[in-house]
Amino acid sequence: MMAQKQVLQESFQGQGQSIETTKSAITKMLVRTERFQTRVRKHIDENYTEFMPNHTSPDIFLEKATILGDEINELLATVGEEGLAALNDASAELAKSSKDLREILLELRVSEHILKLDDLFQCVEEAKANKDCLVVFDLMGKLRSLIYSDSTDSADVAPEVERLFQTLDCYESIKVKYHVQAHLLQQNLQERFDHLVQLNCKTFPNSKCVTLLISKDEAQLQDIVSALFQERYNPAKLCNFLLEHCIEPLILKPVSVEYNEAAKDDSHIQLTLSYSIKDQDAASALLRPNYKDVFDHFRLLLQTLSGINSNLNGTQHVFTVIGDQVKDRMLQLLVEECLIPAVPETMDEYNSSTLCADVLQFEHLLADSYLINPEVDCALTEFTKEFDTYYRNRLSARVLATAREIIQRDLQDMVLVAPNNLSANVASDPFLFPRCMISKSAQDFVKLMDRVLRQPTDKTAESTPDPLAGVVAQLLETYIDEVPKVHKKLLQSIPQQSALFHNNCQYLTHWVAQHANNGIDSYPSLVKMLQSTATKHLRVQLNYQQSILMDIMSGFEFENPHTLGSTPLRLVRQCLRQLELLKNVWQQVLPENVYNSSFCELLNAFVNELVQRVFTLRDISATMASELSDLIDVVLEKGPLLYQDKHEVLQVRSWQKLQQLKTMMNASLKEFTELWCDGAGPLTANYQANEIKHLIRALFQDTDRRAKAITQIV
């Protein structure tokens, strides 16, 4: 390399005249370029620093800059890098000139860069004057690539030129001018878009009318839309309009839709939506549109707007931009307010349903329109995957809702069942349900469970769970839990309600036993729960009725030692009337055996209390004994009338005891001893020896005969 430089130096030393010529050429080029730069700087300052009126076209400067640049490059090329290095050693002055030449070339390139921008700005003004916004859009793209170094189109600009350009005072002014023009362009594009895409909404007191009028000039429409959406357009207003006035109503309300492909002299497509804007309430759920209508209306909406769905950058379309702002709310409403309510409620509906296929087809439509990305926006696919779960939940919810409605009904609305199954028949066949009255609601409850069991199931699909598995058990548990709560006050205060609820539970128990082979979950525990619930609530009422009798008998007092008085007889008759009232509401309601056992219990409690009251007397006169006998006669006479079969009264445990008490009220000492018969007589079945002795002392005076009789009672 050093040898080559030496050769060149010797060559130039031998050709001094050539060196002088090169030096002179460089000097002249520097002067010419500097003069040109002065004129260019003045032009730029007037336009972008001082903002003075300037009608000079940048084309003149651009042409001159290009010529000067080419001449400088030719001059530099005549010597080359190695030649210049040799010149640097030969002549410091010439070396400095060559360096200045390179620097001024860079400045010239910066000036040329600014002149290109200026020329583009003038072209923008000319295009605006011709109202050609698409040309303006293209020019603005070129301006952006020349102004911003981070632009993808700025690769043709040398890094040194970009760096020096961005340090100039005019750089900020040029950026401001660009942004002003960009804003004006966006306004112009928006105006053109609003003319081609007219979205109107008219609101009336009770309704709303939405009109979409879209130009059929697809070429112009797509050009304007593409330019608008690529020019940092904010689509929020458009998206909000579509979501609020079109998408949400189409899903939530019955909408009248009119589609016209030849509106305004066949130059536009028109879609008109009309719907009510009254407040939605629970009843409005019945007016929810069918999902197929919703899908059809969506297809018309997308078809109407398809003209604006331009491809923006190869992978993104206008609907993609719109979808980013509306799809989450749209998919949520579709699933929650349209599709889930459309899930079948019966097995027949389920087997004939095309909902899943329709949803997947609709999802493809949205994906093909670029409104959603099916790989990311999976709400509709997820719905189809969860369809069986939704179906089971909806079917169960519907059945349970019906059950709760039945539970709310009046228990006293009753009906006779098993009219021919008398107690004798049931005794010989325990699988028979006895004749009794039940609530009509219980009958309806059984019909509901029958419908559940009759629902057809897909026996071939072993992997598909039975949608009603466990529902019958849940229904019965709900009945057991809810009826006592819903009818609490009436069950406590009205005897007939308790009897009916007892019968209802037993009726349900009988139904469960009959369908034990139908796969009812928890069959044994359900039977036990129903039976215990029936017994419990009848027991509560029996205790309550018994407490009424005891409250009445609490006033049973012997005011006079010689005569019974009127109070005891009145209270006994009151107790009997209470039992007669209960008979009137229970005898035709309860099964005969349940009625009989219940009245035996109540009558037994009453008789026991009466006997105990008599035994409180320490002295019974003959008059009082006779009156007590008559009083007991009233009970013995009325008691059998409480039963359909008078002999049923013999099942009352203390009935014979009462009969024997009447006998003893009229017996002599001899008869007492005969009835006792040294502990082997009939009295021993119901009385203790001390009780007999107490009665003898109360009825007879203290004599040797009484003492002898007492000694025989052991």
Side-chain angles (χ1 to χ4, degrees), residues 32-178:
R32 287 173 59 201
T33 305
E34 184 60 39
R35 288 175 181 171
F36 175 74
Q37 286 287 75
T38 300
R39 292 169 58 202
V40 170
R41 277 194 291 271
K42 181 181 178 184
H43 176 79
I44 293 171
D45 287 343
E46 287 177 350
N47 281 344
Y48 300 103
T49 303
E50 299 172 2
F51 302 103
M52 295 176 61
N54 187 344
H55 302 290
T56 305
S57 172
D59 294 342
I60 301 173
F61 295 115
L62 275 171
E63 184 179 355
K64 184 66 174 175
T66 302
I67 294 172
L68 282 174
D70 292 342
E71 290 180 1
I72 292 172
N73 284 326
E74 289 176 5
L75 182 59
L76 290 172
T78 57
V79 180
E81 289 295 331
E82 294 180 353
L84 286 175
L87 287 174
N88 288 341
D89 293 339
S91 171
E93 183 179 353
L94 187 59
K96 181 178 182 303
S97 296
S98 65
K99 183 178 179 182
D100 291 344
L101 186 63
R102 288 182 179 280
E103 290 178 354
I104 203 165
L105 176 61
L106 176 61
E107 293 174 0
L108 183 63
R109 294 302 184 203
V110 173
S111 297
E112 187 177 12
H113 185 77
I114 297 173
L115 289 170
K116 288 180 181 178
L117 289 170
D118 189 44
D119 184 51
L120 288 172
F121 276 125
Q122 288 202 11
C123 292
V124 166
E125 293 299 331
E126 291 172 4
K128 285 168 59 179
N130 294 328
K131 297 183 178 179
D132 195 340
C133 62
L134 294 179
V135 173
V136 174
F137 175 74
D138 291 336
L139 292 170
M140 293 300 293
K142 295 177 181 178
L143 281 168
R144 182 169 56 248
S145 67
L146 292 174
I147 294 172
Y148 294 101
S149 60
D150 59 347
S151 171
T152 57
D153 300 325
S154 63
D156 295 336
V157 182
E160 299 86 357
V161 174
E162 280 188 4
R163 177 183 55 76
L164 187 58
F165 168 59
Q166 292 176 4
T167 63
L168 300 178
D169 293 340
C170 65
Y171 177 66
E172 292 300 326
S173 298
I174 290 173
K175 285 203 302 182
V176 170
K177 185 171 184 178
Y178 167 77

Side-chain angles (χ1 to χ4, degrees), residues 167-233:
T167 63
L168 300 178
D169 293 340
C170 65
Y171 177 66
E172 292 300 326
S173 298
I174 290 173
K175 285 203 302 182
V176 170
K177 185 171 184 178
Y178 167 77
H179 285 297
V180 169
Q181 293 295 341
H183 178 70
L184 293 174
L185 171 62
Q186 192 173 48
Q187 280 188 327
N188 195 320
L189 290 171
Q190 183 68 60
E191 290 173 1
R192 297 285 297 277
F193 177 80
D194 291 342
H195 176 72
L196 296 169
V197 180
Q198 299 177 31
L199 309 177
N200 298 303
C201 177
K202 292 183 179 180
T203 302
F204 303 97
N206 296 319
S207 63
K208 185 177 288 187
C209 181
V210 179
T211 304
L212 282 67
L213 196 64
I214 312 298
S215 172
K216 295 172 72 172
D217 186 348
E218 290 190 8
Q220 181 184 191
L221 182 60
Q222 295 207 1
D223 286 341
I224 294 297
V225 170
S226 296
L228 180 63
F229 274 77
Q230 292 181 54
E231 193 57 32
R232 293 182 175 83
Y233 170 64

Side-chain angles (χ1 to χ4, degrees), residues 398-442:
R398 176 175 174 268
V399 170
L400 288 172
T402 304
R404 288 192 168 90
E405 185 275 325
I406 292 173
I407 285 171
Q408 295 288 333
R409 298 177 191 171
D410 190 354
L411 294 177
Q412 284 189 261
D413 187 7
M414 52 190 169
V415 62
L416 178 66
V417 293
N420 299 322
N421 293 348
L422 302 178
S423 58
N425 305 116
V426 176
S428 60
D429 186 356
F431 292 101
L432 292 177
F433 188 73
R435 171 193 173 99
C436 67
M437 304 288 283
I438 64 169
S439 303
K440 287 183 179 179
S441 61

Side-chain angles (χ1 to χ4, degrees), residues 409-525:
R409 298 177 191 171
D410 190 354
L411 294 177
Q412 284 189 261
D413 187 7
M414 52 190 169
V415 62
L416 178 66
V417 293
N420 299 322
N421 293 348
L422 302 178
S423 58
N425 305 116
V426 176
S428 60
D429 186 356
F431 292 101
L432 292 177
F433 188 73
R435 171 193 173 99
C436 67
M437 304 288 283
I438 64 169
S439 303
K440 287 183 179 179
S441 61
Q443 204 171 44
D444 292 337
F445 205 85
V446 163
K447 291 178 182 177
L448 175 64
M449 293 190 293
D450 282 333
R451 288 202 302 273
V452 170
L453 292 184
R454 283 198 302 269
Q455 287 290 328
T457 57
D458 187 357
K459 301 297 184 182
T460 61
E462 295 182 1
S463 61
T464 303
D466 182 358
L468 289 169
V471 171
V472 169
Q474 194 174 359
L475 287 173
L476 291 168
E477 290 168 0
T478 301
Y479 189 88
I480 293 169
D481 291 339
E482 295 296 324
V483 171
K485 296 176 184 176
V486 172
H487 303 281
K488 180 179 179 180
K489 291 183 178 179
L490 295 179
L491 285 173
Q492 290 175 346
S493 59
I494 300 179
Q496 192 178 68
Q497 295 267 326
S498 301
L500 285 168
F501 183 50
H502 167 274
N503 295 352
N504 294 348
C505 290
Q506 297 292 9
Y507 186 67
L508 296 178
T509 301
H510 181 73
W511 183 89
V512 172
Q514 285 183 315
H515 297 83
N517 296 327
N518 289 13
I520 299 175
D521 291 350
S522 308
Y523 158 67
S525 62

Side-chain angles (χ1 to χ4, degrees), residues 664-681:
M664 288 187 287
M665 288 297 106
N666 299 302
S668 64
L669 280 172
K670 181 181 179 182
E671 289 172 329
F672 262 96
T673 57
E674 289 175 351
L675 288 170
W676 184 255
C677 192
D678 296 326

